[in-house]
Amino acid sequence: MLEFIRNLFTSDFMPHGHCYLWQPGIVWLHVISDSFIALAYYSIPLTLVYFVGKRRDLPYPWMFLMFGGFIVACGTTHLMEVWTVWHGTYRLAGTVKLLTALLSIGTAVLLVKILPEALALQSPLKLAQVNADLEREIQEREKAETELRRTQEDLESRVRGRTEELAQANATLQLEIAERKRIEEEVRRLNADLERRVIELQTLFDVMPIGIGIAEDRQCRRIRLNQAFAQMLKLPAGANASKSAPAEEIPRNFKICRHGLELSPDELPMQRAAARGEVIREFDEQVVHTDGATLHLLAYAAPLCDEKGAVRGSVGAFVDITDRRRAEEQVRASLREKEALLQEIHHRVKNNMQVVSSLLQLQSNYIRDPAALEMFTESQDRIKSMALIHEKLYQSRDLDQINFGDYMSTLVGMLARTYAARAGNVRLQVQAEPAALTVNTAIPLGLIVNELITNAFKHAFPGGRAGEISAELRGNRQNGFALLVRDNGVGVSPGFLPETADSLGLRLVRILSEQIGAQVEYHSLDGLHVKLTFTDKK
């Protein structure tokens, strides 16, 4: 018995919907039709029960109950038709039909038995009333069927609309899925490219010979460093190199100094870059280890910003310039030695020229020829002018150039003392701007000044007449210089051309001017005016 009941509810057959090919229109047509028929069948027995309950004088009331049971069984068979669309429990459906058949046969048999008696009991009035009730029931049923059709049409319309919406939504969903797949593929490609770049940067970070430090927080409490920086600081890989770290993490094996003084954490370049949001360039610092070793580092630091532009840390680059500093110290030491040697050379050259000048002075004491004596005097003045150059270079800090304005004032004063006896009524004026000239320019220019001033003393004021000689130097290295030597003496005689004169002094002026690339101009206006324009390139 239990096996029979279990088999009734076993769905081992294919659902009835396969017969409809699962076409929504046919499936729902049958489902809705059977559902409404079952509903109608279930409502009729309720009416009969209500009718029997109200009519106490009704003959054969059990017959109405039998009809009610038969109608309920018929409605159940229609419900089973709906059920078997999705579930293949045909044993259960057949059993329901069997019970419906037995109930209908029983009802029919009993109806046949009481039919003669029922015919005898009916009257025309009651029959008319029954007919009227039947017509009313038929009208209500037609009305219900009309309403059912309307409902079915409305349901089908809604199903069609919903189907179209689902189709459109499905198409949109397919587009979104395709777009999402494309985006996911692009993200995977970008992630792969980013991973490759990260590996490249990490490799570069590790092998770069320059020390690199990265702070991920604005206080620089932790500084990640590459292999080169770890070797500079003598720290193990992965150590925290920050002097701003918590007390237990601060590295103790070195200190950072500048100009011999230890720097506080806030003064360090990476901390300054993160705190102030500025770029630090060429920050010279020394790393002094506890074992006495010292490194000279040239530091660069810049802030790191987030996507909103706020500073979130800093990055620093540290170049070991210890060897360069040692080389610079060696070069400076060598330069100091050479400067001392050059000063000694200038000093000795000046002394030697003074010795030569003294020898000429001693020799001139034995000369009775005025022309020869004058030649000795002029040669002595030329040697003094060159000796004065070497004396100024010996006294100068820069052995490559001298202050020619100061030199020219000293040289003119020396010449004034030399010719004081011959030209006592001649007044000298010197206007010289402080001009630093190289040795290659200063020595020839000094000789030129010597020759021009000497020439003015000798020829511009004959017979002891009074007058004035002026020497002026103006200009700068960028725009060039101008040397002007003027006198208000007798000038030159008509037809005399200083540019082509054969006198030794003017020939020296021409030769020395060409040597320094100077342009010489002569003007005879109230005396002789000479102007030299030249440049001085180091």
Side-chain angles (χ1 to χ4, degrees), residues 28 117 221 305 320 340 359 466 469 520:
W28 288 108
E117 296 179 10
R221 289 187 292 264
C305 300
D320 186 356
L359 291 175
I469 302 174
V520 184

Side-chain angles (χ1 to χ4, degrees), residues 52 124 169 201 208 215 223 233 251 274 281 341 376 401 428 510 522:
V52 172
L201 289 176
M208 184 177 292
I223 296 179
L233 302 181
R281 302 180 187 276
L341 179 60
F376 265 74
Q401 56 186 13
L428 280 173
R510 288 199 298 272
Y522 295 91

Side-chain angles (χ1 to χ4, degrees), residues 189-299:
R189 187 186 64 79
L190 291 176
N191 286 337
D193 185 62
L194 180 61
E195 184 177 358
R196 178 178 59 80
R197 292 178 181 271
V198 168
I199 293 174
E200 292 174 354
L201 289 176
Q202 185 63 42
T203 303
L204 180 63
F205 180 76
D206 292 334
V207 304
M208 184 177 292
I210 298 174
I212 302 294
I214 299 176
E216 297 293 344
D217 61 292
R218 188 165 187 177
Q219 290 72 32
C220 299
R221 289 187 292 264
R222 180 168 183 79
I223 296 179
R224 181 163 53 94
L225 66 170
N226 67 344
Q227 185 176 356
F229 200 20
Q231 292 176 352
M232 293 177 188
L233 302 181
K234 297 183 179 180
L235 292 175
N240 185 3
S242 175
K243 287 291 187 179
S244 302
E248 64 276 7
E249 297 183 21
I250 296 177
R252 309 290 183 183
N253 65 318
F254 65 89
K255 59 182 180 179
I256 302 176
C257 303
R258 193 178 194 193
H259 306 309
L261 300 177
E262 184 175 4
L263 298 175
S264 65
D266 294 339
E267 296 176 304
L268 299 179
M270 290 184 63
Q271 282 81 346
R272 286 175 54 191
R276 305 177 186 178
E278 62 182 16
V279 177
I280 308 299
R281 302 180 187 276
E282 297 185 355
F283 186 87
D284 193 353
E285 63 183 22
Q286 297 83 44
V287 177
V288 181
H289 291 279
T290 53
D291 59 3
T294 300
L295 290 180
H296 291 270
L297 301 181
L298 198 60

Side-chain angles (χ1 to χ4, degrees), residues 297-345:
L297 301 181
L298 198 60
Y300 301 79
L304 291 176
C305 300
D306 57 19
E307 61 277 3
K308 297 181 179 178
V311 177
R312 63 172 181 84
S314 65
V315 61
F318 301 85
V319 182
D320 186 356
I321 58 172
T322 305
D323 293 339
R324 189 175 78 182
R325 283 300 172 87
R326 291 172 182 168
E328 289 175 354
E329 287 297 329
Q330 293 175 357
V331 170
R332 280 195 288 270
S334 177
L335 286 175
R336 286 194 293 270
E337 293 176 359
K338 291 180 179 179
E339 286 175 356
L341 179 60
L342 284 174
Q343 285 182 329
E344 180 65 20
I345 290 173

Side-chain angles (χ1 to χ4, degrees), residues 129-161:
Q129 186 177 356
V130 171
N131 289 334
D133 293 339
L134 183 59
E135 288 178 359
R136 186 169 53 255
E137 184 180 349
I138 291 173
Q139 291 176 357
E140 291 177 357
R141 183 170 181 176
E142 290 177 349
K143 182 179 179 181
E145 290 177 353
T146 302
E147 186 66 25
L148 179 61
R149 284 194 299 272
R150 187 181 300 113
T151 302
Q152 183 177 357
E153 292 173 356
D154 182 60
L155 182 59
E156 289 177 353
S157 176
R158 290 184 180 181
V159 169
R160 285 193 299 270

